[in-house]
């Protein structure tokens, strides 16, 4: 079944010490650690077959191209896309949303049209839409959340109008950890003819994702948050929608024929992959997803659920500590403050005990402002963390309190 010691042994960094203590890594929402198989895969590419993809006829280039396209198949299967044409490699979630904001804006948005984003979104699912709205003279509208961190979906009926073109929502939020009710949201949006973009940066690694069954129009995520290398990410889009979008960046690989009179473009998905892609990162992403599949997604998710129940109960029972985000449906995130201790001080003290957490605004200022705060401490865990590590965090918080009071 789920052998946590075996899992931990797959992640070499978990062995290391920080200030003489075993690392307790609880900053997984910022980025995840990498299993040995992903690290070896990257090494293999550079040692065995590194060559630019989709270009040369060499044996090396054909191996590298196959690895890249196999990774695309793996991603497509992992999220159950209908075709690999629907899977575009980008450098991450941010790049994927910017690509979409530009191209969707060009194709579907006119002056006076509306885009809806949620109050709890990460900046990368707010700012690209603000930029696009400025460019197209469109209107940005906001779906608020309540004090437990749940979106007020009952407001959607009034918020979505015949001018709304797109609704942008996270699968799970990075500050509050809420898993948003996408079934309700997608249904309400589609009833009004509104397309939906789901930001999966905090969801894909914790929640089984089926873009076809869930009827998402667009879905994005980052490799580095799902045990893969940095610098690689995915834009999924329904094929008939991606086909209608214009190219974004111009350059090699995204063209069919080039002349000064007229240039024609590649078909999907290469139309959106200008220049040398991060084929090493893509190969690493394929390896990471295969690692998760072979470990067992159901086992991973049920272990995480158990750990989350334990952690949230344990952390919220600490006196003078408030957890922000108390939705009944959360991923492994606890953002909190201890009365009288600044979030940055708490982060530094925990770090000296070898405990890595995130502090500050966490790239989601509107969510932090909702509570009238300037920042929070965020602990975020995943399937290689243990109850003992949650205990260490709680002991660390208690020690910090003693230092201050
Ligand atoms: N959306 C959410 C919900 C996130 O948590 C993050 C990363 N913190 C992003 C988008 C941006 O991801 P990246 O920095 O990998 O592009």
């Amino acid at each position: 079944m789920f052998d946590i010691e075996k899992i931990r042994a797959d992640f070499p960094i978990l062995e290391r010490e920080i200030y003489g203590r075993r690392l307790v890594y609880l900053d997984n929402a910022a980025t995840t650690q990498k299993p040995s198989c992903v690290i070896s895969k990257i090494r293999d590419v550079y040692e065995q077959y590194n060559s630019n993809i989709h270009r040369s006829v060499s044996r090396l280039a054909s191996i590298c191209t196959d690895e890249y396209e196999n990774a695309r198949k793996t991603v497509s299967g992992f999220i159950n896309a209908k075709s690999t044409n629907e899977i575009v490699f980008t450098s991450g979630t941010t790049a994927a949303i910017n690509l979409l904001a530009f191209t969707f804006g060009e194709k579907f948005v006119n002056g006076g049209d509306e885009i809806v984003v949620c109050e709890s979104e990460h900046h990368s699912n707010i700012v690209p839409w603000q930029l696009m709205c400025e460019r197209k003279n469109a209107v940005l509208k906001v779906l608020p959340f309540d004090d437990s961190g749940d979106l007020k979906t009952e407001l959607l009926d009034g918020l979505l109008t015949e001018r709304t073109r797109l609704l942008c929502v996270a699968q799970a939020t990075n500050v509050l950890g809420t898993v948003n009710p996408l079934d309700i949201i997608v249904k309400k949006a589609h009833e009004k003819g509104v397309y939906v973009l789901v930001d999966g940066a905090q969801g894909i690694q914790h929640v089984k994702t089926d873009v076809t069954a869930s009827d998402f129009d667009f879905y994005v995520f980052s490799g580095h948050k799902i045990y893969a290398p940095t610098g690689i990410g995915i834009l999924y889009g329904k094929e008939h929608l991606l086909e209608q979008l214009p190219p974004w960046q111009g350059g090699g690989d995204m063209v069919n024929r080039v002349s000064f009179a007229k240039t024609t473009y590649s078909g999907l998905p290469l139309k959106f992959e200008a220049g040398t892609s991060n084929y090493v990162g893509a190969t690493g992403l394929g390896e990471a997803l295969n690692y998760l599949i072979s470990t067992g997604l159901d086992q991973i998710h049920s272990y995480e659920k158990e750990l989350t129940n334990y952690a949230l109960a344990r952390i919220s029972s600490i006196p003078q500590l408030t957890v922000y985000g108390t939705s009944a449906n959360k991923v492994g995130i606890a953002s909190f403050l201890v009365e009288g201790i600044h979030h940055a001080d708490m982060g530094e003290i925990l770090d000296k005990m070898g405990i890595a957490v995130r502090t500050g605004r966490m790239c989601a200022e509107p969510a932090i402002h909702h509570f009238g705060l300037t920042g929070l401490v965020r602990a975020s865990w995943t399937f290689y963390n243990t109850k003992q590590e949650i205990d260490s965090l709680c002991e660390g918080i208690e020690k910090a309190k003693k230092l201050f009071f």
Side-chain angles (χ1 to χ4, degrees), residues 31 45 85 91 108 116 150 180 190 209 228 265 296 322 343-344 403-404:
T31 199
V45 178
N85 285 346
S91 65
F108 290 112
V116 173
D150 286 316
N180 285 324
H190 285 175
T209 302
Y265 306 113
T322 307
H343 49 85
L403 281 176
F404 271 80

Side-chain angles (χ1 to χ4, degrees), residues 178-328:
T178 312
V179 178
N180 285 324
L182 296 176
D183 46 350
I184 298 173
I185 293 170
V186 170
K187 189 164 173 288
K188 279 187 185 288
H190 285 175
E191 275 167 9
K192 294 248 171 120
V194 175
Y195 296 124
V196 180
L197 158 67
V198 176
D199 171 358
Q202 298 293 345
I204 181 101
Q205 63 284 54
H206 303 302
V207 181
K208 219 167 198 171
T209 302
D210 184 327
V211 291
T212 302
S214 308
D215 207 14
F216 300 158
D217 299 296
F218 302 100
Y219 181 76
V220 293
F221 70 92
S222 295
H224 72 96
K225 293 194 200 270
I226 186 163
Y227 321 107
T230 48
I232 190 74
I234 296 296
L235 165 65
Y236 157 86
K238 284 179 180 165
E239 191 162 355
H240 75 95
L241 292 176
L242 289 182
E243 254 163 11
Q244 294 178 64
L245 302 180
W248 181 38
Q249 295 182 320
D253 239 17
M254 55 76 71
V255 282
N256 186 10
R257 302 302 304 268
V258 177
S259 76
F260 291 114
K262 171 124 188 94
T263 289
T264 55
Y265 306 113
S266 304
L268 291 175
L270 297 188
K271 176 169 87 172
F272 297 114
E273 294 181 6
T276 298
S277 300
N278 182 0
Y279 54 89
V280 183
T283 305
L285 174 58
E287 186 69 22
L289 298 183
N290 282 328
Y291 169 80
L292 293 175
I293 292 165
S294 66
T295 303
L297 288 176
D298 288 342
Q299 280 95 324
I300 289 174
H301 294 153
S302 73
Y303 174 82
E304 285 184 359
K305 188 102 213 129
E306 189 190 323
L307 189 61
T308 296
N309 290 340
Y310 178 82
L312 291 176
R314 186 86 171 72
I315 297 166
S316 19
S317 70
I318 296 175
Q320 288 98 43
L321 182 150
T322 307
V323 172
Y324 293 87
T326 51
S327 170

